Amino acid sequence: MSNLASLSALAQEFHAMAAGLDVEPYFKSFHTTPQHDGSPHIEVADGKFQFVVTERGSEFERIDNLSADDVLYLLFKGITQHMATRYELKNRVPETDGRSVWFPYQERLMERLNPVWGERLRKEHQRILENYPLQP
């Protein structure tokens, strides 16, 4: 499969998965060129995907040598983080660390998309909380 065909197949998979999410259309976009607004775009180099974030003409993040599954995970991690922080804001518990609401909600969203992603995110959150425990 050519790089263009694999990128097209990845975009189709992304759109199929994103279609059912309750999120603004902006978050359902799959970009293959820089938008320079902080949103990610996907490139292909040497048959592997790259996840790239640019803003105002500067590159802020590039993750190389990714599988299609890794790219989808990163894209949906960003989308579900937006959804989870929006949920936490609407369900804020006074004097409680927002992550206590946000993290489990985001993990459930990711698990619905792909059970492996839910577990992967749960482990990432556990590592974050080990270094930066919930605040009272």
Side-chain angles (χ1 to χ4, degrees), residues 26-27 31 33-41 51-61 74-75 78-79:
Y26 168 84
F27 292 98
H31 300 291
T33 58
Q35 302 302 297
H36 299 299
D37 64 357
S39 63
H41 71 276
F51 179 90
V52 185
V53 177
T54 61
E55 187 170 352
R56 298 182 190 173
S58 296
E59 185 174 304
F60 285 94
E61 181 177 21
L74 290 170
L75 290 171
I79 294 168

Side-chain angles (χ1 to χ4, degrees), residues 51 63 66 69-79 120:
F51 179 90
I63 305 173
L66 297 171
D69 186 70
D70 289 332
V71 169
L72 291 171
Y73 173 81
L74 290 170
L75 290 171
F76 284 105
K77 179 181 171 187
I79 294 168
R120 181 175 171 182

